[in-house]
Amino acid sequence: MSAGRIDDGGAGERAGGACLLLMDLQEGLCRADGRVGGPALTAEVERRGVLTHAASALARCRDARLPVLHARVAFDAGYTRLTSGSAAFGAFRERRLMLADSAEAAIVGEVAPLPDEPVVDKGCVNPFVGTRLLSLLLARRVDHLLLGGVATNHVVEGTARHASDLGYRVTVLEDLCASRSPELHDFSITSILPSYAEVRPHVDALDDLLGAGAADR
C-alpha cells in the first residue's frame, strides 16, 4: 500500500501511514453490569486495565493527528445489518440486544469518539464484512493498522487476519486487548497473532512510531 498525505477536511492530517482502530470497546461488553460480555470478560478487561491503556493510546494518537477509527457491534431495529450466521450473533436478534441506540451498544466513555472519528457499525465479528471500513482506510491512505479491542481471540484476531491478507501492516496493541480468560488471551497473543501482526504494548509501539518524547509511562 502506498502512503501519502491527503486533505480530508482536517481529520487525520497525518493520514498516509498508521491508523488506530479501536474495536468493540462497548458498555455491554466491557462493564461489570453489561448485558453482553459476561462476568469473565468484564473481569479481564478490568484486571488488564484495557480501558485505561486504550485511553492512553487514543490520546497519543490524537495528539499526533493520526487517523482514529472505531468499530462496534450495533444493529438497526430490523437487524438487517446482521451478517454473521453464528448462534452467538443470532442470540443478539432473539434477545433484542446491541441495538444502535441502546446503552449496551454505546462506546465506553473512556474512548468516546470525537465528531471527526468515524464509527463503523458491524453485524459480525469482523469489521471489514458488510461495512465501509475498507473505504475509510483507502480514503485516508492508511497502510498500517494499530489494533485494540475485545475479545482478543475474536475481533482482534479476525481483523488482524483480514487486514494482513489485504496487504496492511498490522500491529496489535496487546495491552488494549482482553479475552474471557488469561489463557485465551495468551494463546491468541503468543500462538496466533504473531503470524499476522506485530504484538506489542502500546507505549513501545507508539514510542517507535511517534517518538518517545510524549511517552505516557
Side-chain angles (χ1 to χ4, degrees):
M1 301 230 172
S2 62
R5 189 179 184 282
I6 61 173
D7 180 4
D8 63 353
E13 291 183 32
R14 283 184 52 182
C19 171
L20 178 65
L21 175 59
L22 298 177
M23 302 172 293
D24 298 1
L25 297 179
Q26 296 171 256
E27 291 287 339
L29 291 165
C30 296
R31 300 295 190 200
D33 58 352
R35 299 177 64 196
V36 181
L41 178 60
T42 57
E44 281 301 294
V45 168
E46 182 174 356
R47 183 185 71 83
R48 290 181 48 76
V50 168
L51 301 183
T52 299
H53 294 313
S56 170
L58 179 58
R60 289 193 66 186
C61 290
R62 285 171 173 168
D63 287 346
R65 296 189 296 182
L66 288 185
V68 174
L69 301 175
H70 304 260
R72 66 172 187 158
V73 177
F75 299 104
D76 58 288
Y79 284 81
T80 61
R81 192 176 295 123
L82 177 63
T83 56
S84 174
S86 73
F89 273 80
F92 291 151
R93 177 167 52 193
E94 292 169 9
R95 298 173 59 196
R96 304 293 296 174
L97 291 173
M98 302 302 266
L99 289 165
D101 59 354
S102 67
E104 70 254 19
I107 294 173
V108 297
E110 290 90 333
V111 295
L114 296 179
D116 64 351
E117 294 173 357
V119 177
V120 174
D121 288 349
K122 61 192 178 79
C124 62
V125 171
N126 186 340
F128 283 100
V129 174
T131 75
R132 59 187 179 130
L133 176 57
L134 182 57
S135 295
L136 291 169
L137 297 175
L138 292 172
R140 289 156 177 75
R141 299 182 186 173
V142 171
D143 59 13
H144 180 190
L145 278 173
L146 308 170
L147 303 181
V150 298
T152 318
N153 57 317
H154 291 295
V155 69
V156 178
E157 224 180 84
T159 305
R161 289 172 184 259
H162 195 129
S164 177
D165 283 349
L166 288 173
Y168 287 95
R169 177 185 172 192
V170 181
T171 299
V172 171
L173 305 179
E174 186 268 345
D175 50 350
L176 274 61
C177 306
S179 293
R180 293 180 187 275
S181 71
E183 293 78 16
L184 285 171
H185 173 82
D186 291 345
F187 183 80
S188 184
I189 287 295
T190 60
S191 299
I192 304 296
L193 282 165
S195 295
Y196 307 97
E198 299 176 72
V199 180
R200 308 184 68 187
H202 82 278
V203 170
D204 293 347
L206 294 179
D207 280 355
D208 283 353
L209 183 66
L210 306 174
D216 185 7
R217 296 188 184 275

PDB file of all heavy atoms in Angstrom, residues 80-111:
ATOM      1  N   THR A  80     -31.180  -5.906  10.013  1.00  0.00           N
ATOM      2  CA  THR A  80     -30.736  -6.140   8.641  1.00  0.00           C
ATOM      3  C   THR A  80     -29.218  -6.079   8.509  1.00  0.00           C
ATOM      4  O   THR A  80     -28.664  -6.558   7.526  1.00  0.00           O
ATOM      5  CB  THR A  80     -31.375  -5.117   7.684  1.00  0.00           C
ATOM      6  OG1 THR A  80     -30.977  -3.790   8.062  1.00  0.00           O
ATOM      7  CG2 THR A  80     -32.887  -5.207   7.723  1.00  0.00           C
ATOM      8  N   ARG A  81     -28.561  -5.480   9.495  1.00  0.00           N
ATOM      9  CA  ARG A  81     -27.100  -5.406   9.463  1.00  0.00           C
ATOM     10  C   ARG A  81     -26.452  -6.725   9.899  1.00  0.00           C
ATOM     11  O   ARG A  81     -25.246  -6.915   9.748  1.00  0.00           O
ATOM     12  CB  ARG A  81     -26.617  -4.262  10.358  1.00  0.00           C
ATOM     13  CG  ARG A  81     -25.146  -3.911  10.177  1.00  0.00           C
ATOM     14  CD  ARG A  81     -24.739  -2.706  11.007  1.00  0.00           C
ATOM     15  NE  ARG A  81     -25.435  -1.499  10.558  1.00  0.00           N
ATOM     16  CZ  ARG A  81     -26.194  -0.740  11.327  1.00  0.00           C
ATOM     17  NH1 ARG A  81     -26.369  -1.041  12.602  1.00  0.00           N
ATOM     18  NH2 ARG A  81     -26.801   0.323  10.841  1.00  0.00           N
ATOM     19  N   LEU A  82     -27.222  -7.635  10.463  1.00  0.00           N
ATOM     20  CA  LEU A  82     -26.682  -8.905  10.933  1.00  0.00           C
ATOM     21  C   LEU A  82     -26.170  -9.716   9.751  1.00  0.00           C
ATOM     22  O   LEU A  82     -26.938 -10.127   8.877  1.00  0.00           O
ATOM     23  CB  LEU A  82     -27.766  -9.685  11.681  1.00  0.00           C
ATOM     24  CG  LEU A  82     -27.389 -11.074  12.191  1.00  0.00           C
ATOM     25  CD1 LEU A  82     -26.269 -10.999  13.215  1.00  0.00           C
ATOM     26  CD2 LEU A  82     -28.614 -11.764  12.790  1.00  0.00           C
ATOM     27  N   THR A  83     -24.867  -9.958   9.711  1.00  0.00           N
ATOM     28  CA  THR A  83     -24.259 -10.740   8.637  1.00  0.00           C
ATOM     29  C   THR A  83     -23.739 -12.080   9.120  1.00  0.00           C
ATOM     30  O   THR A  83     -23.522 -12.984   8.325  1.00  0.00           O
ATOM     31  CB  THR A  83     -23.101  -9.961   7.980  1.00  0.00           C
ATOM     32  OG1 THR A  83     -22.150  -9.587   8.988  1.00  0.00           O
ATOM     33  CG2 THR A  83     -23.606  -8.715   7.275  1.00  0.00           C
ATOM     34  N   SER A  84     -23.520 -12.230  10.413  1.00  0.00           N
ATOM     35  CA  SER A  84     -22.975 -13.480  10.949  1.00  0.00           C
ATOM     36  C   SER A  84     -24.055 -14.549  11.033  1.00  0.00           C
ATOM     37  O   SER A  84     -25.204 -14.277  11.402  1.00  0.00           O
ATOM     38  CB  SER A  84     -22.403 -13.238  12.349  1.00  0.00           C
ATOM     39  OG  SER A  84     -21.990 -14.464  12.945  1.00  0.00           O
ATOM     40  N   GLY A  85     -23.668 -15.763  10.698  1.00  0.00           N
ATOM     41  CA  GLY A  85     -24.569 -16.894  10.844  1.00  0.00           C
ATOM     42  C   GLY A  85     -24.380 -17.655  12.137  1.00  0.00           C
ATOM     43  O   GLY A  85     -24.982 -18.717  12.326  1.00  0.00           O
ATOM     44  N   SER A  86     -23.554 -17.118  13.037  1.00  0.00           N
ATOM     45  CA  SER A  86     -23.252 -17.828  14.274  1.00  0.00           C
ATOM     46  C   SER A  86     -24.410 -17.748  15.256  1.00  0.00           C
ATOM     47  O   SER A  86     -25.209 -16.799  15.243  1.00  0.00           O
ATOM     48  CB  SER A  86     -21.995 -17.245  14.934  1.00  0.00           C
ATOM     49  OG  SER A  86     -22.265 -15.980  15.496  1.00  0.00           O
ATOM     50  N   ALA A  87     -24.471 -18.749  16.148  1.00  0.00           N
ATOM     51  CA  ALA A  87     -25.507 -18.755  17.176  1.00  0.00           C
ATOM     52  C   ALA A  87     -25.357 -17.571  18.112  1.00  0.00           C
ATOM     53  O   ALA A  87     -26.353 -17.008  18.580  1.00  0.00           O
ATOM     54  CB  ALA A  87     -25.437 -20.067  17.960  1.00  0.00           C
ATOM     55  N   ALA A  88     -24.121 -17.188  18.404  1.00  0.00           N
ATOM     56  CA  ALA A  88     -23.900 -16.068  19.321  1.00  0.00           C
ATOM     57  C   ALA A  88     -24.501 -14.784  18.780  1.00  0.00           C
ATOM     58  O   ALA A  88     -25.143 -14.027  19.512  1.00  0.00           O
ATOM     59  CB  ALA A  88     -22.402 -15.891  19.570  1.00  0.00           C
ATOM     60  N   PHE A  89     -24.319 -14.528  17.493  1.00  0.00           N
ATOM     61  CA  PHE A  89     -24.886 -13.313  16.915  1.00  0.00           C
ATOM     62  C   PHE A  89     -26.384 -13.451  16.697  1.00  0.00           C
ATOM     63  O   PHE A  89     -27.125 -12.467  16.792  1.00  0.00           O
ATOM     64  CB  PHE A  89     -24.152 -12.940  15.626  1.00  0.00           C
ATOM     65  CG  PHE A  89     -22.935 -12.094  15.863  1.00  0.00           C
ATOM     66  CD1 PHE A  89     -21.745 -12.669  16.277  1.00  0.00           C
ATOM     67  CD2 PHE A  89     -22.978 -10.726  15.696  1.00  0.00           C
ATOM     68  CE1 PHE A  89     -20.627 -11.894  16.518  1.00  0.00           C
ATOM     69  CE2 PHE A  89     -21.862  -9.933  15.934  1.00  0.00           C
ATOM     70  CZ  PHE A  89     -20.675 -10.524  16.355  1.00  0.00           C
ATOM     71  N   GLY A  90     -26.842 -14.652  16.417  1.00  0.00           N
ATOM     72  CA  GLY A  90     -28.276 -14.866  16.311  1.00  0.00           C
ATOM     73  C   GLY A  90     -28.994 -14.553  17.607  1.00  0.00           C
ATOM     74  O   GLY A  90     -30.134 -14.069  17.603  1.00  0.00           O
ATOM     75  N   ALA A  91     -28.302 -14.803  18.727  1.00  0.00           N
ATOM     76  CA  ALA A  91     -28.904 -14.512  20.034  1.00  0.00           C
ATOM     77  C   ALA A  91     -29.110 -13.020  20.244  1.00  0.00           C
ATOM     78  O   ALA A  91     -30.018 -12.626  20.987  1.00  0.00           O
ATOM     79  CB  ALA A  91     -28.021 -15.085  21.144  1.00  0.00           C
ATOM     80  N   PHE A  92     -28.284 -12.192  19.611  1.00  0.00           N
ATOM     81  CA  PHE A  92     -28.498 -10.749  19.721  1.00  0.00           C
ATOM     82  C   PHE A  92     -29.883 -10.383  19.177  1.00  0.00           C
ATOM     83  O   PHE A  92     -30.609  -9.586  19.776  1.00  0.00           O
ATOM     84  CB  PHE A  92     -27.428  -9.972  18.960  1.00  0.00           C
ATOM     85  CG  PHE A  92     -26.053 -10.039  19.561  1.00  0.00           C
ATOM     86  CD1 PHE A  92     -24.935  -9.937  18.758  1.00  0.00           C
ATOM     87  CD2 PHE A  92     -25.880 -10.198  20.921  1.00  0.00           C
ATOM     88  CE1 PHE A  92     -23.661  -9.992  19.301  1.00  0.00           C
ATOM     89  CE2 PHE A  92     -24.615 -10.253  21.474  1.00  0.00           C
ATOM     90  CZ  PHE A  92     -23.503 -10.150  20.668  1.00  0.00           C
ATOM     91  N   ARG A  93     -30.223 -10.961  18.036  1.00  0.00           N
ATOM     92  CA  ARG A  93     -31.537 -10.671  17.449  1.00  0.00           C
ATOM     93  C   ARG A  93     -32.660 -11.234  18.319  1.00  0.00           C
ATOM     94  O   ARG A  93     -33.668 -10.555  18.563  1.00  0.00           O
ATOM     95  CB  ARG A  93     -31.622 -11.241  16.038  1.00  0.00           C
ATOM     96  CG  ARG A  93     -32.981 -11.044  15.385  1.00  0.00           C
ATOM     97  CD  ARG A  93     -32.931 -11.328  13.895  1.00  0.00           C
ATOM     98  NE  ARG A  93     -32.349 -12.628  13.618  1.00  0.00           N
ATOM     99  CZ  ARG A  93     -31.949 -13.026  12.406  1.00  0.00           C
ATOM    100  NH1 ARG A  93     -32.055 -12.202  11.374  1.00  0.00           N
ATOM    101  NH2 ARG A  93     -31.429 -14.211  12.223  1.00  0.00           N
ATOM    102  N   GLU A  94     -32.480 -12.449  18.794  1.00  0.00           N
ATOM    103  CA  GLU A  94     -33.525 -13.085  19.602  1.00  0.00           C
ATOM    104  C   GLU A  94     -33.780 -12.312  20.886  1.00  0.00           C
ATOM    105  O   GLU A  94     -34.932 -12.193  21.345  1.00  0.00           O
ATOM    106  CB  GLU A  94     -33.121 -14.518  19.930  1.00  0.00           C
ATOM    107  CG  GLU A  94     -33.094 -15.444  18.725  1.00  0.00           C
ATOM    108  CD  GLU A  94     -32.437 -16.765  19.030  1.00  0.00           C
ATOM    109  OE1 GLU A  94     -32.156 -17.034  20.220  1.00  0.00           O
ATOM    110  OE2 GLU A  94     -32.202 -17.550  18.085  1.00  0.00           O
ATOM    111  N   ARG A  95     -32.723 -11.747  21.466  1.00  0.00           N
ATOM    112  CA  ARG A  95     -32.851 -11.048  22.746  1.00  0.00           C
ATOM    113  C   ARG A  95     -32.939  -9.531  22.574  1.00  0.00           C
ATOM    114  O   ARG A  95     -32.986  -8.801  23.556  1.00  0.00           O
ATOM    115  CB  ARG A  95     -31.657 -11.412  23.642  1.00  0.00           C
ATOM    116  CG  ARG A  95     -31.571 -12.883  23.996  1.00  0.00           C
ATOM    117  CD  ARG A  95     -30.288 -13.205  24.726  1.00  0.00           C
ATOM    118  NE  ARG A  95     -30.157 -12.434  25.970  1.00  0.00           N
ATOM    119  CZ  ARG A  95     -29.021 -12.286  26.643  1.00  0.00           C
ATOM    120  NH1 ARG A  95     -27.897 -12.831  26.177  1.00  0.00           N
ATOM    121  NH2 ARG A  95     -28.998 -11.589  27.752  1.00  0.00           N
ATOM    122  N   ARG A  96     -32.945  -9.065  21.314  1.00  0.00           N
ATOM    123  CA  ARG A  96     -33.031  -7.633  21.007  1.00  0.00           C
ATOM    124  C   ARG A  96     -31.888  -6.870  21.672  1.00  0.00           C
ATOM    125  O   ARG A  96     -32.095  -5.799  22.259  1.00  0.00           O
ATOM    126  CB  ARG A  96     -34.381  -7.056  21.451  1.00  0.00           C
ATOM    127  CG  ARG A  96     -35.599  -7.747  20.871  1.00  0.00           C
ATOM    128  CD  ARG A  96     -35.722  -7.544  19.389  1.00  0.00           C
ATOM    129  NE  ARG A  96     -35.936  -6.135  19.040  1.00  0.00           N
ATOM    130  CZ  ARG A  96     -35.958  -5.681  17.782  1.00  0.00           C
ATOM    131  NH1 ARG A  96     -35.752  -6.511  16.772  1.00  0.00           N
ATOM    132  NH2 ARG A  96     -36.165  -4.392  17.540  1.00  0.00           N
ATOM    133  N   LEU A  97     -30.686  -7.394  21.531  1.00  0.00           N
ATOM    134  CA  LEU A  97     -29.514  -6.775  22.130  1.00  0.00           C
ATOM    135  C   LEU A  97     -28.714  -5.990  21.091  1.00  0.00           C
ATOM    136  O   LEU A  97     -28.792  -6.249  19.898  1.00  0.00           O
ATOM    137  CB  LEU A  97     -28.604  -7.841  22.755  1.00  0.00           C
ATOM    138  CG  LEU A  97     -29.138  -8.557  23.995  1.00  0.00           C
ATOM    139  CD1 LEU A  97     -28.202  -9.697  24.379  1.00  0.00           C
ATOM    140  CD2 LEU A  97     -29.314  -7.590  25.150  1.00  0.00           C
ATOM    141  N   MET A  98     -27.918  -5.059  21.582  1.00  0.00           N
ATOM    142  CA  MET A  98     -26.955  -4.275  20.794  1.00  0.00           C
ATOM    143  C   MET A  98     -27.617  -3.475  19.677  1.00  0.00           C
ATOM    144  O   MET A  98     -27.045  -3.285  18.604  1.00  0.00           O
ATOM    145  CB  MET A  98     -25.847  -5.181  20.230  1.00  0.00           C
ATOM    146  CG  MET A  98     -25.070  -5.941  21.289  1.00  0.00           C
ATOM    147  SD  MET A  98     -24.276  -4.869  22.520  1.00  0.00           S
ATOM    148  CE  MET A  98     -22.631  -4.689  21.810  1.00  0.00           C
ATOM    149  N   LEU A  99     -28.825  -2.984  19.932  1.00  0.00           N
ATOM    150  CA  LEU A  99     -29.414  -2.021  19.007  1.00  0.00           C
ATOM    151  C   LEU A  99     -28.584  -0.741  19.021  1.00  0.00           C
ATOM    152  O   LEU A  99     -28.025  -0.358  20.055  1.00  0.00           O
ATOM    153  CB  LEU A  99     -30.861  -1.735  19.401  1.00  0.00           C
ATOM    154  CG  LEU A  99     -31.830  -2.898  19.152  1.00  0.00           C
ATOM    155  CD1 LEU A  99     -33.134  -2.669  19.891  1.00  0.00           C
ATOM    156  CD2 LEU A  99     -32.085  -3.074  17.649  1.00  0.00           C
ATOM    157  N   ALA A 100     -28.483  -0.095  17.892  1.00  0.00           N
ATOM    158  CA  ALA A 100     -27.546   1.008  17.722  1.00  0.00           C
ATOM    159  C   ALA A 100     -27.722   2.119  18.751  1.00  0.00           C
ATOM    160  O   ALA A 100     -26.742   2.738  19.177  1.00  0.00           O
ATOM    161  CB  ALA A 100     -27.667   1.579  16.313  1.00  0.00           C
ATOM    162  N   ASP A 101     -28.962   2.378  19.166  1.00  0.00           N
ATOM    163  CA  ASP A 101     -29.202   3.470  20.102  1.00  0.00           C
ATOM    164  C   ASP A 101     -29.347   2.990  21.552  1.00  0.00           C
ATOM    165  O   ASP A 101     -29.759   3.759  22.420  1.00  0.00           O
ATOM    166  CB  ASP A 101     -30.445   4.261  19.698  1.00  0.00           C
ATOM    167  CG  ASP A 101     -31.702   3.401  19.650  1.00  0.00           C
ATOM    168  OD1 ASP A 101     -31.596   2.167  19.815  1.00  0.00           O
ATOM    169  OD2 ASP A 101     -32.788   3.973  19.435  1.00  0.00           O
ATOM    170  N   SER A 102     -28.984   1.740  21.812  1.00  0.00           N
ATOM    171  CA  SER A 102     -29.116   1.197  23.166  1.00  0.00           C
ATOM    172  C   SER A 102     -27.901   1.539  24.017  1.00  0.00           C
ATOM    173  O   SER A 102     -26.814   1.847  23.499  1.00  0.00           O
ATOM    174  CB  SER A 102     -29.284  -0.322  23.115  1.00  0.00           C
ATOM    175  OG  SER A 102     -28.100  -0.950  22.636  1.00  0.00           O
ATOM    176  N   ALA A 103     -28.081   1.463  25.325  1.00  0.00           N
ATOM    177  CA  ALA A 103     -26.978   1.755  26.242  1.00  0.00           C
ATOM    178  C   ALA A 103     -25.841   0.764  26.074  1.00  0.00           C
ATOM    179  O   ALA A 103     -24.660   1.137  26.133  1.00  0.00           O
ATOM    180  CB  ALA A 103     -27.488   1.746  27.684  1.00  0.00           C
ATOM    181  N   GLU A 104     -26.160  -0.511  25.859  1.00  0.00           N
ATOM    182  CA  GLU A 104     -25.092  -1.518  25.786  1.00  0.00           C
ATOM    183  C   GLU A 104     -24.254  -1.398  24.517  1.00  0.00           C
ATOM    184  O   GLU A 104     -23.103  -1.825  24.480  1.00  0.00           O
ATOM    185  CB  GLU A 104     -25.658  -2.929  25.907  1.00  0.00           C
ATOM    186  CG  GLU A 104     -26.468  -3.419  24.716  1.00  0.00           C
ATOM    187  CD  GLU A 104     -27.952  -3.451  25.009  1.00  0.00           C
ATOM    188  OE1 GLU A 104     -28.368  -2.762  25.975  1.00  0.00           O
ATOM    189  OE2 GLU A 104     -28.699  -4.140  24.282  1.00  0.00           O
ATOM    190  N   ALA A 105     -24.809  -0.803  23.465  1.00  0.00           N
ATOM    191  CA  ALA A 105     -24.056  -0.666  22.215  1.00  0.00           C
ATOM    192  C   ALA A 105     -23.145   0.557  22.210  1.00  0.00           C
ATOM    193  O   ALA A 105     -22.261   0.679  21.350  1.00  0.00           O
ATOM    194  CB  ALA A 105     -24.999  -0.591  21.025  1.00  0.00           C
ATOM    195  N   ALA A 106     -23.321   1.454  23.173  1.00  0.00           N
ATOM    196  CA  ALA A 106     -22.514   2.684  23.208  1.00  0.00           C
ATOM    197  C   ALA A 106     -21.056   2.372  23.457  1.00  0.00           C
ATOM    198  O   ALA A 106     -20.712   1.463  24.233  1.00  0.00           O
ATOM    199  CB  ALA A 106     -23.040   3.612  24.296  1.00  0.00           C
ATOM    200  N   ILE A 107     -20.184   3.110  22.808  1.00  0.00           N
ATOM    201  CA  ILE A 107     -18.743   3.008  23.079  1.00  0.00           C
ATOM    202  C   ILE A 107     -18.470   3.634  24.437  1.00  0.00           C
ATOM    203  O   ILE A 107     -19.033   4.673  24.787  1.00  0.00           O
ATOM    204  CB  ILE A 107     -17.940   3.692  21.964  1.00  0.00           C
ATOM    205  CG1 ILE A 107     -18.127   2.920  20.643  1.00  0.00           C
ATOM    206  CG2 ILE A 107     -16.459   3.795  22.324  1.00  0.00           C
ATOM    207  CD1 ILE A 107     -17.524   3.594  19.435  1.00  0.00           C
ATOM    208  N   VAL A 108     -17.611   2.994  25.224  1.00  0.00           N
ATOM    209  CA  VAL A 108     -17.361   3.449  26.592  1.00  0.00           C
ATOM    210  C   VAL A 108     -16.806   4.871  26.590  1.00  0.00           C
ATOM    211  O   VAL A 108     -16.112   5.294  25.658  1.00  0.00           O
ATOM    212  CB  VAL A 108     -16.396   2.502  27.333  1.00  0.00           C
ATOM    213  CG1 VAL A 108     -17.007   1.107  27.484  1.00  0.00           C
ATOM    214  CG2 VAL A 108     -15.047   2.432  26.638  1.00  0.00           C
ATOM    215  N   GLY A 109     -17.113   5.587  27.639  1.00  0.00           N
ATOM    216  CA  GLY A 109     -16.733   6.989  27.717  1.00  0.00           C
ATOM    217  C   GLY A 109     -15.246   7.231  27.675  1.00  0.00           C
ATOM    218  O   GLY A 109     -14.788   8.272  27.196  1.00  0.00           O
ATOM    219  N   GLU A 110     -14.456   6.279  28.167  1.00  0.00           N
ATOM    220  CA  GLU A 110     -13.003   6.464  28.186  1.00  0.00           C
ATOM    221  C   GLU A 110     -12.413   6.668  26.796  1.00  0.00           C
ATOM    222  O   GLU A 110     -11.370   7.304  26.642  1.00  0.00           O
ATOM    223  CB  GLU A 110     -12.321   5.253  28.845  1.00  0.00           C
ATOM    224  CG  GLU A 110     -12.559   5.139  30.332  1.00  0.00           C
ATOM    225  CD  GLU A 110     -13.781   4.319  30.685  1.00  0.00           C
ATOM    226  OE1 GLU A 110     -14.735   4.240  29.863  1.00  0.00           O
ATOM    227  OE2 GLU A 110     -13.788   3.748  31.786  1.00  0.00           O
ATOM    228  N   VAL A 111     -13.072   6.096  25.790  1.00  0.00           N
ATOM    229  CA  VAL A 111     -12.574   6.227  24.411  1.00  0.00           C
ATOM    230  C   VAL A 111     -13.682   6.721  23.482  1.00  0.00           C
ATOM    231  O   VAL A 111     -13.708   6.392  22.296  1.00  0.00           O
ATOM    232  CB  VAL A 111     -11.980   4.902  23.889  1.00  0.00           C
ATOM    233  CG1 VAL A 111     -10.747   4.525  24.678  1.00  0.00           C
ATOM    234  CG2 VAL A 111     -13.011   3.769  23.936  1.00  0.00           C
TER     235      VAL A 111
END
